[in-house]
Amino acid sequence: MPREHKYPFLPYAPARYPEPDMITKGRDLLCLMEKRRSVRFFSDEPVPRECIDLAIRVANTAPSGAHQQPWKFAVIGDAATKKQIRLAAEVEERENYEGGRLTPEWREALAHLETTSDKGYLETAPWLVVCFAEKYGIRPDGNRRKHYYVNESVGIACGFFISALHTMGLVTLTHTPNPMSFLTEICHRPGNERPYILFPVGYAAQDAEVPDLRRKSLAEVVVESPGLIA
Ligand SMILES: Cc1cc2nc3c(=O)[nH]c(=O)nc-3n(C[C@H](O)[C@H](O)[C@H](O)COP(=O)(O)O)c2cc1C
């Protein structure tokens, strides 16, 4: 019996795989994603712009509240703007690290990453991509349109973006200099957009290092439904 719709609908038949192939595909993806790391040492080697556009297109496939896709990605590749962003980020980060704006608890949480107010990678990386979250939309008549689940939606899109870069052999850092309102001005973004994450993107430097972090095990992150516990 065909369903009746008020709006257009399409048949959807996603790929299905035999069970062994499902497991293999899942394991392959896990193996790839386990190797992803946030990188703070970049090479200045150029990266094709197409890779950036592909990663943004992948991000743009993310689910979003009411399919409002409340994101914008500003792409910066010129040295002057990168420098401007680095200097502005370092002003804020110096306040955090040296000016006492970081609470002792925050400082303690960050200690093992050995991050500092030096954000040289913002100039070294060939690309900076700033994701902006649209707090609300603008209707054609200029009125505001409410956006739903903006934070969740943009967070998922950024996850897709990071995964796409990693799949292409590129690295990035989820960078959130705090506060980051300077990015609105530098990127000439309107008032309905809020800077969400600043991503330097490129190849890892040959001598790049990352903190030796341990990820939680499956048992630490899974809780069984009470109905399943005997
Ligand atoms: C929302 C968010 C904000 C972050 N902000 C910063 C940041 O401002 N500076 C930084 O160096 N790393 C930042 N990170 C990176 C984390 O430190 C990093 O993801 C974490 O240490 C785990 O390392 P991994 O990404 O290599 O697994 C941020 C990560 C997330 C998810």
Side-chain angles (χ1 to χ4, degrees), residues 3 11 14 31 47 56 91 103 108 128 143 160-161 201 212:
R3 297 184 198 95
C31 194
V47 163
I56 295 171
V91 167
T103 62
E108 189 195 331
L128 300 183
N143 284 324
F160 279 32
F161 178 73
V201 179
D212 184 7

Tab-separated table of all heavy atoms in Angstrom, residues 3 11 14 31 47 56 91 103 108 128 143 160-161 201 212:
chain	number	residue	atom	x	y	z
A	3	ARG	N	2.370	4.847	0.682
A	3	ARG	CA	2.068	5.864	1.696
A	3	ARG	C	1.671	7.160	1.003
A	3	ARG	O	2.149	7.449	-0.098
A	3	ARG	CB	3.307	6.135	2.548
A	3	ARG	CG	3.781	4.954	3.332
A	3	ARG	CD	4.963	5.373	4.203
A	3	ARG	NE	5.690	4.211	4.643
A	3	ARG	CZ	6.765	3.728	4.038
A	3	ARG	NH1	7.246	4.331	2.958
A	3	ARG	NH2	7.362	2.648	4.486
A	11	PRO	N	12.060	6.956	-2.794
A	11	PRO	CA	12.449	5.636	-2.278
A	11	PRO	C	13.908	5.688	-1.835
A	11	PRO	O	14.696	6.441	-2.418
A	11	PRO	CB	12.293	4.701	-3.492
A	11	PRO	CG	11.705	5.514	-4.582
A	11	PRO	CD	11.813	6.958	-4.234
A	14	PRO	N	19.414	1.937	1.009
A	14	PRO	CA	20.859	1.978	1.290
A	14	PRO	C	21.490	0.610	1.083
A	14	PRO	O	20.811	-0.412	1.193
A	14	PRO	CB	20.922	2.405	2.758
A	14	PRO	CG	19.598	2.051	3.331
A	14	PRO	CD	18.591	2.132	2.223
A	31	CYS	N	39.847	1.004	12.467
A	31	CYS	CA	41.308	1.021	12.329
A	31	CYS	C	41.776	2.387	11.822
A	31	CYS	O	42.758	2.949	12.313
A	31	CYS	CB	41.684	-0.093	11.355
A	31	CYS	SG	43.392	-0.471	11.368
A	47	VAL	N	48.308	22.225	0.131
A	47	VAL	CA	47.290	21.166	0.046
A	47	VAL	C	46.262	21.629	-0.988
A	47	VAL	O	45.840	22.788	-0.945
A	47	VAL	CB	46.606	20.982	1.432
A	47	VAL	CG1	45.306	20.216	1.323
A	47	VAL	CG2	47.551	20.306	2.411
A	56	ILE	N	34.412	19.809	3.264
A	56	ILE	CA	33.236	20.628	3.602
A	56	ILE	C	31.970	19.990	3.018
A	56	ILE	O	30.908	19.969	3.653
A	56	ILE	CB	33.415	22.090	3.115
A	56	ILE	CG1	34.575	22.737	3.882
A	56	ILE	CG2	32.130	22.891	3.294
A	56	ILE	CD1	35.006	24.094	3.362
A	91	VAL	N	46.425	36.873	21.281
A	91	VAL	CA	46.057	37.898	22.277
A	91	VAL	C	45.146	37.260	23.320
A	91	VAL	O	45.344	37.401	24.535
A	91	VAL	CB	45.353	39.101	21.593
A	91	VAL	CG1	44.691	39.997	22.635
A	91	VAL	CG2	46.342	39.897	20.751
A	103	THR	N	41.027	28.970	34.763
A	103	THR	CA	40.886	28.578	36.177
A	103	THR	C	41.930	27.507	36.484
A	103	THR	O	42.373	26.790	35.577
A	103	THR	CB	39.487	27.993	36.443
A	103	THR	OG1	39.350	26.822	35.627
A	103	THR	CG2	38.384	28.994	36.132
A	108	GLU	N	44.783	22.570	35.011
A	108	GLU	CA	45.161	21.204	35.385
A	108	GLU	C	44.688	20.200	34.323
A	108	GLU	O	45.401	19.270	33.947
A	108	GLU	CB	44.543	20.868	36.746
A	108	GLU	CG	45.036	19.561	37.332
A	108	GLU	CD	44.158	19.077	38.480
A	108	GLU	OE1	43.545	19.922	39.164
A	108	GLU	OE2	44.088	17.850	38.658
A	128	LEU	N	43.185	27.573	6.840
A	128	LEU	CA	42.391	27.669	8.067
A	128	LEU	C	40.929	27.596	7.634
A	128	LEU	O	40.535	28.256	6.666
A	128	LEU	CB	42.629	29.008	8.785
A	128	LEU	CG	44.056	29.326	9.236
A	128	LEU	CD1	44.090	30.662	9.982
A	128	LEU	CD2	44.605	28.217	10.118
A	143	ASN	N	13.250	38.738	8.111
A	143	ASN	CA	12.910	38.302	9.468
A	143	ASN	C	13.733	37.089	9.872
A	143	ASN	O	14.234	36.348	9.026
A	143	ASN	CB	11.412	37.966	9.561
A	143	ASN	CG	10.576	39.230	9.602
A	143	ASN	OD1	10.972	40.237	10.194
A	143	ASN	ND2	9.423	39.191	8.941
A	160	PHE	N	32.110	15.133	10.956
A	160	PHE	CA	32.219	14.613	9.574
A	160	PHE	C	33.423	15.269	8.870
A	160	PHE	O	34.174	14.616	8.144
A	160	PHE	CB	30.946	14.934	8.781
A	160	PHE	CG	29.785	13.992	9.011
A	160	PHE	CD1	29.570	13.363	10.228
A	160	PHE	CD2	28.874	13.743	7.990
A	160	PHE	CE1	28.482	12.508	10.425
A	160	PHE	CE2	27.792	12.893	8.163
A	160	PHE	CZ	27.590	12.273	9.393
A	161	PHE	N	33.574	16.559	9.083
A	161	PHE	CA	34.663	17.322	8.450
A	161	PHE	C	36.020	16.759	8.873
A	161	PHE	O	36.887	16.477	8.041
A	161	PHE	CB	34.512	18.796	8.860
A	161	PHE	CG	35.578	19.714	8.344
A	161	PHE	CD1	35.618	20.080	7.009
A	161	PHE	CD2	36.541	20.237	9.200
A	161	PHE	CE1	36.604	20.944	6.531
A	161	PHE	CE2	37.524	21.099	8.736
A	161	PHE	CZ	37.546	21.454	7.403
A	201	VAL	N	44.347	23.326	8.785
A	201	VAL	CA	44.326	22.071	8.014
A	201	VAL	C	45.590	21.983	7.157
A	201	VAL	O	45.990	22.969	6.517
A	201	VAL	CB	43.092	22.008	7.080
A	201	VAL	CG1	43.086	20.711	6.276
A	201	VAL	CG2	41.791	22.133	7.875
A	212	ASP	N	50.752	11.444	24.426
A	212	ASP	CA	50.505	9.993	24.508
A	212	ASP	C	49.228	9.774	25.326
A	212	ASP	O	49.286	9.611	26.535
A	212	ASP	CB	51.715	9.319	25.170
A	212	ASP	CG	51.571	7.806	25.191
A	212	ASP	OD1	50.611	7.289	24.580
A	212	ASP	OD2	52.413	7.147	25.826
